[in-house]
Amino acid sequence: MLNLENAEVPLLAPQLRTWTAQSEDLSNPVYCICDYLDIRGRVEPDLMISAHEHVEREAEALRLGIVTARGEHRQFLSEGTAPLDFLDLSAESFPEAAAKTWMESDAQRPVNPDRLCTAALIKVTDEHFILYRRVHHAVVDGYSLALIFNRTAAVYTALAQGLPPGKSAFPPYARLLESEAAYRDGKSFDRDRQHWLRKMAGRPEPVSLAGRKAGLGIGHRRTAELAPDTVARLERAAGGLGVTWSDLAVSTTAAYVARTTGADELLIGLPTGGRLGPQVRNVPGMTMNILPLRLTVDTGSPLDAFARQVSREVREVLLHCRYPTAELSRELVEQGGGARLWGPMVNVMKFNYKLDFAGAHAVMRTMSIPLTVDVTVYFFQTSADGTTEVILDAHPELYGPQETDRHMQGLLSLLRALETADPRTAVRDVGA
């Protein structure tokens, strides 16, 4: 096992992609993830501080820093933990608004390479607390943050009941480093490389809902909530089509783009976890990789056939999900292609939440800055009952506020139609 104590080690490929972009401007916090738990019930601040310190020790990624020397980025593990700041805003005239203002301000802070993850507990009322975390995407991804919040709830509950927190839920961070080294030295790396070069040969220019393209930008954000009963109906509909709810969410986005643009071939960005073995599944860190989902689309095909086609293509992406996006892009450019590998992106974040703090229940919310290259659609499960937010981030240079609203409503209308659609209905006719 690698020893991270008193050592600097290279970044993982997904980390390097993110930090290379961040290092150009440390004053720009767009690569930070700022999420919080909205906790309804009584919370003991001292117990939460103890639970926080315990989890900070267990989840080594929370203590990673990054240094740059002679043009090379390397990471190190800090011995000390980040404190849990406590803010009592309950005396404010509008404490909930004050808490939101504070989090929005914190999300805009410059990036500190020595302290990439911070946290705060905010008291809104005696029965309403907010547990806020700001982590950098170069060291922690969204899946890991869900693990960390779940573990914090479990440790807090154990302490509140006078019980020991139990064995650490997280294997050492070094496992991620060893896993990537083994991947690069093994046969899978070249097999994945050959797969992606074949898959992307002769690819079209990525289709955009706007009909044009732009660089990275901070998008207009729109959100809508799918209640548990709505999610349950969509899960039943997905089962009737022979796919999962996650596959249905991706299929909905692809169908919407195809119906709106008339394109018969799509390149859609698909974030993947990059965790293919049980030995790394529960290691907090940054393994998220974005790869292109290439689809041939016939909107005259039956809904069930289309959904199963998308499901097969998603499975294929997941089988080859560890090949680094930056390396694929570079190789395709060297072969004479464009650097852009996708237009719209869809990210399904379905987590196994257990957000109970000794009887005080929580839902997860995001304050992250909406960075996008076109439109990004998130299906973000926010609580254990299945409640899911649909979030649409639209590039400000490509979509005005009215266009953003129209696309959001179009997606939601298609989702509503899918709840009761006949599987034999042509994709172009669903909800028509």
Side-chain angles (χ1 to χ4, degrees):
M1 182 72 69
L2 288 171
N3 183 6
L4 270 67
E5 298 294 337
N6 303 313
E8 294 176 2
V9 296
L11 303 184
L12 302 168
Q15 291 183 282
L16 184 59
R17 183 188 71 242
T18 304
W19 191 255
T20 298
Q22 177 67 84
S23 62
E24 295 178 1
D25 181 7
L26 293 179
S27 69
N28 189 345
V30 293
Y31 294 101
C32 292
I33 303 174
C34 301
D35 288 353
Y36 67 94
L37 297 185
D38 194 331
I39 307 172
R40 301 294 173 148
R42 192 171 292 274
V43 167
E44 295 297 332
D46 289 344
L47 280 183
M48 189 67 82
I49 289 170
S50 296
H52 167 82
E53 291 176 348
H54 189 93
V55 173
E56 287 270 321
R57 288 288 178 193
E58 291 184 338
E60 292 178 330
L62 294 172
R63 294 185 281 124
L64 290 173
I66 297 178
V67 294
T68 302
R70 297 180 295 278
E72 182 182 9
H73 305 302
R74 297 177 72 83
Q75 58 189 325
F76 63 93
L77 183 62
S78 297
E79 174 61 27
T81 61
L84 179 68
D85 295 329
F86 178 57
L87 290 80
D88 186 350
L89 302 181
S90 59
E92 297 284 334
S93 299
F94 302 97
E96 200 162 344
K100 184 177 180 182
T101 297
W102 184 90
M103 289 187 289
E104 288 175 343
S105 175
D106 187 80
Q108 296 291 337
R109 283 190 297 105
V111 173
N112 178 1
D114 294 326
R115 180 66 72 190
L116 293 168
C117 301
T118 59
L121 177 67
I122 305 173
K123 180 179 179 180
V124 181
T125 70
D126 289 343
E127 298 286 335
H128 182 190
F129 289 77
I130 288 172
L131 181 59
Y132 167 86
R133 273 199 177 274
R134 169 177 154 147
V135 300
H136 199 283
H137 218 324
V139 292
V140 174
D141 55 25
Y143 171 81
S144 300
L145 190 53
L147 292 178
I148 289 163
F149 275 134
N150 271 347
R151 179 59 176 162
T152 304
V155 172
Y156 177 91
T157 299
L159 295 176
Q161 295 172 349
L163 300 173
K167 183 179 178 182
S168 173
F170 306 131
Y173 180 78
R175 285 198 184 175
L176 294 182
L177 300 168
E178 293 168 344
S179 176
E180 178 169 284
Y183 171 65
R184 285 186 172 274
D185 291 340
K187 296 179 180 179
S188 295
F189 183 81
D190 189 60
R191 187 162 55 240
D192 288 349
R193 175 180 177 273
Q194 295 301 328
H195 165 80
W196 285 111
L197 293 178
R198 287 193 304 271
K199 189 71 177 179
M200 297 300 283
R203 71 191 185 281
E205 187 71 17
V207 170
S208 167
L209 287 167
R212 58 193 189 280
K213 60 185 180 180
L216 278 171
I218 297 173
H220 304 296
R221 171 161 287 180
R222 300 292 184 271
T223 63
E225 189 170 88
L226 304 180
D229 58 340
T230 299
V231 174
R233 288 194 296 271
L234 287 167
E235 287 179 336
R236 287 194 294 271
L241 297 172
V243 300
T244 66
W245 154 236
S246 295
D247 291 333
L248 182 63
V250 177
S251 299
T252 301
T253 305
Y256 180 77
V257 174
R259 289 179 9 159
T260 304
T261 64
D264 57 9
E265 191 168 6
L266 302 177
L267 285 166
I268 293 176
L270 189 69
T272 66
R275 300 166 184 266
L276 295 184
Q279 70 275 13
V280 296
R281 188 163 295 136
N282 292 325
V283 183
M286 169 50 171
T287 64
M288 190 271 287
N289 197 25
I290 307 174
L291 287 162
L293 177 67
R294 186 174 181 179
L295 296 170
T296 301
V297 180
D298 176 7
T299 57
S301 63
L303 180 59
D304 55 358
F306 176 74
R308 288 196 293 269
Q309 174 202 350
V310 173
S311 179
R312 287 192 299 271
E313 294 293 342
V314 169
R315 299 285 89 69
E316 189 174 74
V317 171
L318 295 178
L319 282 173
H320 302 279
C321 67
R322 297 188 67 185
Y323 193 72
T325 306
E327 296 185 32
L328 175 61
S329 179
R330 184 179 64 250
E331 288 194 78
L332 293 174
V333 169
E334 289 173 354
Q335 293 178 2
R340 183 71 62 87
L341 301 185
W342 56 80
M345 185 169 78
V346 56
N347 191 359
V348 184
M349 295 178 285
K350 191 174 188 297
F351 302 125
N352 183 24
Y353 282 129
K354 299 174 183 176
L355 300 175
D356 184 290
F357 290 82
H361 299 288
V363 297
M364 194 164 175
R365 303 294 185 194
T366 184
M367 298 291 294
S368 298
I369 298 168
L371 192 66
T372 185
V373 299
D374 188 82
V375 294
T376 302
V377 182
Y378 299 92
F379 294 87
F380 182 23
Q381 183 184 340
T382 58
S383 64
D385 64 8
T387 301
T388 298
E389 276 191 330
V390 181
I391 303 172
L392 185 142
D393 295 338
H395 198 293
E397 295 176 26
L398 301 178
Y399 307 94
Q402 291 183 333
E403 290 173 291
T404 303
D405 289 339
R406 186 172 71 249
H407 289 310
M408 182 64 165
Q409 291 306 312
L411 275 167
L412 293 174
S413 295
L414 185 53
L415 276 172
R416 285 193 293 270
L418 287 169
E419 291 182 32
T420 56
D422 188 314
R424 296 164 295 182
T425 307
V427 171
R428 63 177 171 236
D429 295 330
V430 176

